[in-house]
Amino acid sequence: MIRLILGLCLISKVYGKFDPIAFTVSQSTTTFSGAATIPYSDNITIHNAATNIRNGIFTCPRDGIYKFSVFGCSAVSGHFALDLYKRNVSLATLYGHLNGGQVVSGNTVIVQLKVGDTVQVKSKNAATVSLQSSSKENTFSGVQLGSQALYSGDHTVVAFSATSNHHQNVMGNNIVQYHTKLVADGGVLDLFTGVFTVRSSGYYVLHFASTSMQNEELWLDLFVNEDYVCSIYARADFEWASASNSVVLHLSAWDKAGVFSRAGRVSRLYGSADYIFTSFSGTQIVSDEDLNNPDTEPVVIFSVGLSMNATVPSGKPVVFNRVFVDLKRAFNLNTGVFVVPVTGVYEFNYHCLARANSFLSLVLVKTNSWVNGFFHLRNTVHPFSAGNSAVLELTAGETVYVMSDYTYNYLVGATDEVYCTFSGYLLHSSGPIVIG
Ligand SMILES: *[C@@H]1O[C@H](CO)[C@@H](O)[C@H](O)[C@H]1NC(C)=O
Ligand SMILES: *[C@@H]1O[C@H](CO)[C@@H](O)[C@H](O)[C@H]1NC(C)=O
Ligand SMILES: *[C@@H]1O[C@H](CO)[C@@H](O)[C@H](O)[C@H]1NC(C)=O
């Protein structure tokens, strides 16, 4: 009884804070002709009564800064070129095609919106889009940023997002450059140098994506100061090839983050005014100052990676071995399972690279049910990557993990080659804490 009363006191203290607009929708029917809006007819999560996403069109109900992620998966030998639009302006592009195979590509951007602004995904030009239909590979997610920032009054949301609309040949150890800023970030990302300089210490989620030119390699590494974090790799014969990754890190004021071409390699990135593939975006999830404030919402963040090769049999979770962050010690490194410590709405991102001449089939599982994933992708010649993302409403005690859905998934990793990552964090809590 005393515990209960104490619990209720705690609850009244931690509730009632910023509740974000947040959604993930998916598309299972497959073929769209040029300029059509992808209707995203299946809802994975529509959080918050104010979230307005209908027929694939998100209409902004509150001024603010929003993060959008889109993933597409081509049908066998199918093709897609999709643009993420804010009103009539393309923010970012996704492309996928492989003769006799399927590919996944994704992109994430952060953008400032005003009430009434629309955001949607459209098929490019006259070409028909042909997407894989089986199981929620094709997703569109949006999250309003600022759960802690809006609460702490004088803070503003710390976010940057930049894209490139030029081809780039990035020599080994050289940094990727960007040309367009999607949010006014007060100079935290320098377009001229490509460097993100941290002004406010705290936990940040970072996303980067790119696409190689036909037959060319893309091998990019995220560094913070001198420290290697994670990579993307892509190459396809006679095709453009895409890859993306995400990670959550603790960053201190004056840390510098940037995306570099792998030492000794040249990354040839495709980019034009119409094909905006290369992006680098990030936002602070919580500042150190807020984290140390007892009134702050519960903070749950984990981010893990794979720094070795792993063969994952069907029905088993991917057991990640490198920990970037595990604030509530809720991610079990022995099993690969995240046990939800606080009821609320969460965002998850996962990515991986499979070895050449293998199948790749992974799903995000929420307590025994599939959320989304990518299925039986195959590439015979080069390693290939895929990823996905989801907003989920979860109850304390539920589990979330990335599971193999094929006899063997051969995932690629090494100490300085982390392509496979899995990150999740609480956006807003709405129930009691189970694990302290
Ligand atoms: C998905 O959510 C939207 C907005 O809440 C709603 O209009 C639509 O009917 C839902 N679709 C399905 C298939 O449940
Ligand atoms: C978008 O619409 C605005 C206002 O109608 C117009 O000025 C602008 O040129 C358009 N941009 C594109 C890319 O079509
Ligand atoms: C890991 O897999 C890659 C791709 O198949 C291979 O090149 C590499 O040698 C493997 N590493 C180890 C330590 O077996």
Side-chain angles (χ1 to χ4, degrees), residues 85 87-90:
Y85 276 89
R87 292 189 174 271
N88 62 347
V89 177
S90 170

Side-chain angles (χ1 to χ4, degrees), residues 309 355-356 383 411-413:
N309 290 337
R355 80 176 192 202
L411 305 182
V412 180

Side-chain angles (χ1 to χ4, degrees), residues 50-352:
T51 299
N52 183 356
I53 166 103
R54 268 167 225 285
N55 305 321
I57 301 174
F58 172 72
T59 306
C60 177
R62 291 179 192 156
D63 290 2
I65 297 178
Y66 291 75
K67 185 170 76 165
F68 294 95
S69 291
V70 183
F71 286 90
C73 178
S74 60
V76 176
S77 300
H79 160 282
F80 66 87
L82 301 175
D83 284 306
L84 177 68
Y85 276 89
K86 171 186 166 182
R87 292 189 174 271
N88 62 347
V89 177
S90 170
L91 304 175
T93 312
L94 296 96
Y95 174 85
H97 173 252
L98 189 66
N99 259 334
Q102 295 173 263
V103 285
V104 168
S105 75
N107 219 326
T108 295
V109 294
I110 297 172
V111 67
Q112 185 128 24
L113 298 180
K114 296 228 172 287
V115 170
D117 280 346
T118 53
V119 177
Q120 62 194 297
V121 180
K122 288 185 174 189
S123 62
K124 188 184 278 298
N125 301 336
T128 296
V129 158
S130 170
L131 301 170
Q132 169 66 15
S133 65
S134 60
S135 303
K136 301 181 178 169
E137 294 92 339
N138 305 295
T139 59
F140 175 29
S141 299
V143 171
Q144 186 187 9
L145 305 180
S147 11
Q148 299 301 332
L150 293 193
Y151 169 69
S152 19
D154 55 337
H155 289 190
T156 50
V157 176
V158 178
F160 70 91
S161 188
T163 56
S164 170
N165 55 15
H166 289 38
H167 296 316
Q168 293 186 52
N169 290 334
V170 189
M171 308 308 275
N173 290 323
N174 283 16
I175 196 162
V176 175
Q177 292 184 320
Y178 308 92
H179 306 97
T180 308
K181 272 196 190 193
L182 301 179
V183 280
D185 61 14
V188 299
L189 184 97
D190 185 326
L191 281 185
F192 185 69
T193 60
V195 173
F196 162 52
T197 304
V198 178
R199 299 282 173 80
S200 157
S201 301
Y203 287 90
Y204 286 78
V205 59
L206 303 175
H207 299 268
F208 61 113
S210 195
T211 295
S212 67
M213 298 192 196
Q214 286 189 340
N215 290 323
E216 302 288 356
E217 186 180 73
L218 167 170
W219 190 350
L220 301 177
D221 299 326
L222 175 68
F223 273 81
V224 174
N225 306 325
E226 302 297 306
D227 299 326
Y228 170 77
V229 181
C230 62
S231 304
I232 57 176
Y233 180 89
R235 180 172 192 159
D237 290 347
F238 312 110
E239 274 303 337
W240 301 341
S242 304
S244 59
N245 213 340
S246 316
V247 68
V248 182
L249 298 171
H250 182 269
L251 299 175
S252 300
W254 309 114
D255 278 349
K256 291 182 188 305
V259 179
F260 295 77
S261 188
R262 168 71 41 147
R265 314 292 276 233
V266 182
S267 289
R268 299 190 195 276
L269 315 183
Y270 195 98
S272 68
D274 287 344
Y275 289 87
I276 304 165
F277 292 124
T278 300
S279 66
F280 182 30
S281 303
T283 184
Q284 190 180 60
I285 299 169
V286 61
S287 66
D288 285 355
E289 200 183 339
D290 280 322
L291 198 59
N292 294 329
N293 179 340
D295 283 350
T296 292
E297 279 215 45
V299 177
V300 180
I301 303 172
F302 76 89
S303 184
V304 294
L306 194 61
S307 64
M308 58 187 190
N309 290 337
T311 303
V312 191
S314 186
K316 299 288 185 210
V318 179
V319 180
F320 295 90
N321 66 324
R322 178 165 291 180
V323 179
F324 298 109
V325 181
D326 186 11
L327 263 191
K328 279 274 188 291
R329 299 205 180 284
F331 189 85
N332 187 326
L333 283 172
N334 297 318
T335 60
V337 174
F338 168 67
V339 182
V340 177
V342 178
T343 296
V345 59
Y346 288 74
E347 178 193 314
F348 295 91
N349 293 287
Y350 60 108
H351 303 264
C352 69

